[in-house]
Amino acid sequence: MKKFMPLYFVVLFAFSAVAQTPYKLPPQAVVDILEAPPTPLVFMNPRNEAMLLVDYRPHPSIELLAQPFLKLGGIRINPELGARQRLTQYTRLTIKWIPQNKTVTIDAPTDAKIGIPRWSYDGTKIAFTHDLADGVELWVADAATGKAQALTGVRVNDLLAAFQWMNDNAHLLVQTVPAGHGKMPETPKVPVGPNIEETAGKVSKVATYQDLLRTPHDETLFEYFGTSQLSLVNVATGEIKTIGAPALLTDAEPSPDGNYLLVTKLKRPFSYRVPYFYFTRSTEVWDAGGKLVTTIADLPISDEIPPQGVPTGPRNVQWQPLENATLLWVEALDGGDPLKKVPHRDKLMALAAPFTSTTAAPFAGTPAEVLQIQHRFAGFAWTARKQQVLLTEYDRDRRWRTTALLDLTNPRKTRKVVFDLSVNDAYNDPGRYVYETRSNGEEVLLQDGDWVYLNARGASPEGERPRLDRFNLKTLAKQNIFRAPEKAYESFTAFVGNDRNTIVTRYESPTEPPNYFTTDLKKNKRTTLTDFKDPAPQLTGLKKELVKYKRADGVDLSGTLYLPPDYQKGTRLPLLIWAYPLEYSDPATAGQVRGSPYQFTFFRGASPLFFVTQGYAVLMDATMPVVGDPETMNNTYVEQIVGAGKAAIDKLDSLGVIDRHRVGVSGHSYGAFMTANLLAHSDLFAAGIARSGAYNRTLTPFGFQSERRSFWEAPELYMKVSPFMHANKINEPILLIHGEADNNPGTYTIQSERLYQALKGNGATARLVLLPHESHGYTARESVLHTLAEMLEWADKYVKNRKDATGTN
């Protein structure tokens, strides 16, 4: 009688090739560059007189990531610490005082367990957290002397919020661990029953969020870790005053006059379908002692938001600067649905103190409608004049941004459009507003009369040349104050104090790492503030240039070409193309050049630029635009990315710098999706490397990236652009890399696992690498080095050393 192998033995045999192997190292040259210390993070103080420099370790040991964590409501929690999972280690704090040219070292703990500091509004102090074995303490330091100390008795709960300075600069408003918090609830050893969800006619088209609540015990744990006690801490005396009752507080903002608090808190019922910020919640006004004054919003679970829509009810609730205690918020007039045809999408509402009784003050006592907004509200920029604001709205249908200046006392008559352009129009982007933070914490535009300041990237056909402009709100005239020099990249950071003639800039060039300088605009004199060294001097001579070319349909394309330092003209190198597709409404904006060939090249993380060290040419950030009507552009997604890939190869081949038969393509996330599609629908590439991608779009059925249709509205499209559905056509070697703990919506680790199984079942050449404890991006030193080793080995085998049609290398 014929015997059959038991099914479980078949399964074990089928997966026998899957094993955990030791971490690899790439070539030593790559290791040396990656382990060079990064330049510090820089934070100006509110008075623009000092720079806070934060040293850090970008790639801690895998031991840090391997610490147990819980996934609750979209948050990752370290249960021993009772705080959010830590991924970066901050090691040292120093302050550079600009006028005195003096450096002060902060007397902070040196165990790499401190958090990012926050400046007091008057710029004299910083506050930061420090992790202990069983909790998080709070420290305060004097910025002038560097003397620092922990605030006795304060344990911070940073799960939903952490701390902020009060407007008197003498107190911190802190989310603290409640007294009598007790031990973490134990997980039931035996389930009390199945976990059940039910729906009946409710339309809930939500994204595929991760790390959500799944069980009643999860709800209990979320409540345990999330509940905090709002406390007012005197930083000089250490006195602690509790405010209100413990709650699931996600925000608490003092009013400009300090008499009220704007508080948002979560409450049951929670949701198993959306993250915590969409749970049942209320936004309330408390008095300074924590007593409820009025409720602004009491909102249910927001799991019925239309795709690319907004929740109904009050949102974006905020204090109005330069007023004692006036609240503003917006509410949808279209049910939050961008597909509804309405004359106005939002309305702006206002309510002023005393909130519950009417006075002669504007908006006092009863919420009042201030203005109806034609398109979706997209933000305020408050001027230095009371009641005057720049309000921006977004037209989803056109991908258009309009900013208007108006006076809230008479918005309809005073409204004047100051900026009106496509959100993708880099060449005409006016830039970001320059703000000032006043000593009481109010943030308004830096303004001299009618003039405000704009910090622009300065995109142009030749690349970016950052600039600083003055803009007149009354006449709409613009004057340039500063522009980066040619063949270098210098950007505005801040004015020095109140001096409009001296600025702090960040200067870099292809051979000079970024450093900070003061520049006297009248004398055109630069003074050095920092002296950060080149972390990889052996690569300073690498060749770098902006390359422009056209797709067959006439769309302009570009990318930055990197060549090894010892490259000899005429040599044809293997090429790696790295890209991430973006969507545009028109060819003109799609073809605009972004970035600059004159920036310093940093080799950080699992960057594809490391390929240059191994004799490859790299086309970095090659544009792969998907152009068309926002409703249907993805119908030609495949054709457009294939056309862009071919145009890039044709251009570099015509320059004589690459061997077109030895070209690899790679990308991360949506770039990985692109990579797999290029291999499935073309024969342009020798191999591909796809990291942390989504390959089966039926698993993201309510849209992906900017796609507005659901799977059931456009099933043919979802099938067409899903590489999983075309795994039988992927006949080039593909390396799949994914974090085992990926928490990005849509890019579940199973996406790579299932594509690998499909490739294996169709006889493809593929390799699947799953990185323990890593999320969507890769953090641990071991993970990053292993990823680079895998990428380089794969490319060497299937790209660099690929045999051509004649059988020669």
Side-chain angles (χ1 to χ4, degrees), residues 157-205:
N157 181 342
D158 73 353
L159 196 70
L160 303 177
F163 68 90
Q164 63 181 296
W165 287 94
M166 290 293 287
N167 51 19
D168 63 0
N169 297 292
H171 293 83
L172 286 164
L173 188 63
V174 188
Q175 319 280 88
T176 61
V177 177
H181 194 46
K183 294 183 178 180
M184 179 179 74
E186 292 187 6
T187 302
K189 295 181 179 179
V190 178
V192 298
N195 298 312
I196 297 172
E197 291 189 69
E198 183 176 351
T199 186
K202 181 178 181 178
V203 178
S204 182
K205 299 179 181 180

Side-chain angles (χ1 to χ4, degrees), residues 549 558-562 574-582 604-612 616-625 644-645 648-649 652 663-675 678 685 687-693 695 735 737 776-778 787-788 791-792 795:
Y549 47 100
S558 63
T560 303
L561 177 65
Y562 293 82
L575 169 70
L576 181 75
I577 295 178
W578 179 270
Y580 188 99
L582 296 173
R604 288 283 177 261
S607 170
L609 288 175
F610 282 103
F611 275 72
V612 177
Y616 289 79
V618 175
L619 186 64
M620 193 71 179
D621 298 326
T623 52
M624 295 268 179
I649 294 172
L652 297 183
V663 179
V665 63
S666 185
H668 191 95
S669 193
Y670 203 51
F673 173 70
M674 169 208 73
T675 296
L678 286 169
F685 303 95
I689 302 171
R691 301 185 341 200
S692 299
Y695 310 106
L735 171 63
I737 304 176
H776 192 57
Y778 316 142
T787 296
L788 289 169
M791 293 173 68
L792 290 167

Side-chain angles (χ1 to χ4, degrees), residues 44-56:
M44 296 294 298
N45 82 339
R47 295 192 299 193
N48 292 331
E49 295 173 339
M51 303 166 60
L52 171 65
L53 308 179
V54 181
D55 290 293
Y56 67 103

Side-chain angles (χ1 to χ4, degrees), residues 163-334:
F163 68 90
Q164 63 181 296
W165 287 94
M166 290 293 287
N167 51 19
D168 63 0
N169 297 292
H171 293 83
L172 286 164
L173 188 63
V174 188
Q175 319 280 88
T176 61
V177 177
H181 194 46
K183 294 183 178 180
M184 179 179 74
E186 292 187 6
T187 302
K189 295 181 179 179
V190 178
V192 298
N195 298 312
I196 297 172
E197 291 189 69
E198 183 176 351
T199 186
K202 181 178 181 178
V203 178
S204 182
K205 299 179 181 180
V206 298
T208 50
Y209 296 111
Q210 301 201 56
D211 295 351
L212 302 178
L213 300 179
R214 300 181 64 188
T215 68
H217 183 64
D218 282 353
E219 297 185 55
T220 300
L221 289 175
F222 178 80
E223 208 160 34
Y224 170 80
F225 284 109
T227 298
S228 65
Q229 171 65 63
L230 195 62
S231 301
L232 192 66
V233 181
N234 187 308
V235 299
T237 67
E239 180 186 3
I240 303 171
K241 176 185 176 183
T242 60
I243 300 174
L248 289 164
L249 302 171
T250 64
D251 196 21
E253 296 286 341
S255 60
D257 64 6
N259 292 328
Y260 300 94
L261 292 169
L262 178 64
V263 174
T264 299
K265 62 182 184 180
L266 309 177
K267 52 190 177 182
R268 289 178 180 266
F270 303 144
S271 171
Y272 292 9
R273 303 205 65 220
V274 292
Y276 74 93
F277 45 81
Y278 284 145
F279 287 0
T280 310
R281 58 205 182 276
S282 62
T283 299
E284 303 169 348
V285 177
W286 294 0
D287 66 18
K291 181 180 178 182
L292 176 66
V293 176
T294 189
T295 298
I296 303 299
D298 199 358
L299 304 175
I301 294 170
S302 298
D303 62 355
E304 298 179 81
I305 303 173
Q308 299 186 353
V310 297
T312 56
R315 68 181 199 278
N316 298 100
V317 187
Q318 57 190 274
W319 295 112
Q320 180 179 341
L322 309 182
E323 295 292 326
N324 289 333
T326 297
L327 288 170
L328 294 172
W329 67 87
V330 290
E331 296 183 30
L333 294 172
D334 58 0

Side-chain angles (χ1 to χ4, degrees), residues 93-170:
L93 308 175
T94 54
I95 292 177
K96 175 80 172 183
W97 286 94
I98 298 172
Q100 303 93 329
N101 192 25
K102 174 186 175 184
T103 300
V104 175
T105 299
I106 300 299
D107 186 22
T110 58
D111 55 3
K113 294 182 179 181
I114 58 177
I116 290 287
R118 297 190 67 166
W119 282 103
S120 60
Y121 300 127
D122 63 3
T124 63
K125 296 179 283 292
I126 60 171
F128 55 92
T129 59
H130 175 238
D131 297 341
L132 301 173
D134 59 350
V136 182
E137 62 181 356
L138 188 60
W139 284 58
V140 173
D142 185 291
T145 66
K147 184 179 179 181
Q149 62 180 4
L151 297 173
T152 304
V154 177
R155 285 293 181 269
V156 179
N157 181 342
D158 73 353
L159 196 70
L160 303 177
F163 68 90
Q164 63 181 296
W165 287 94
M166 290 293 287
N167 51 19
D168 63 0
N169 297 292

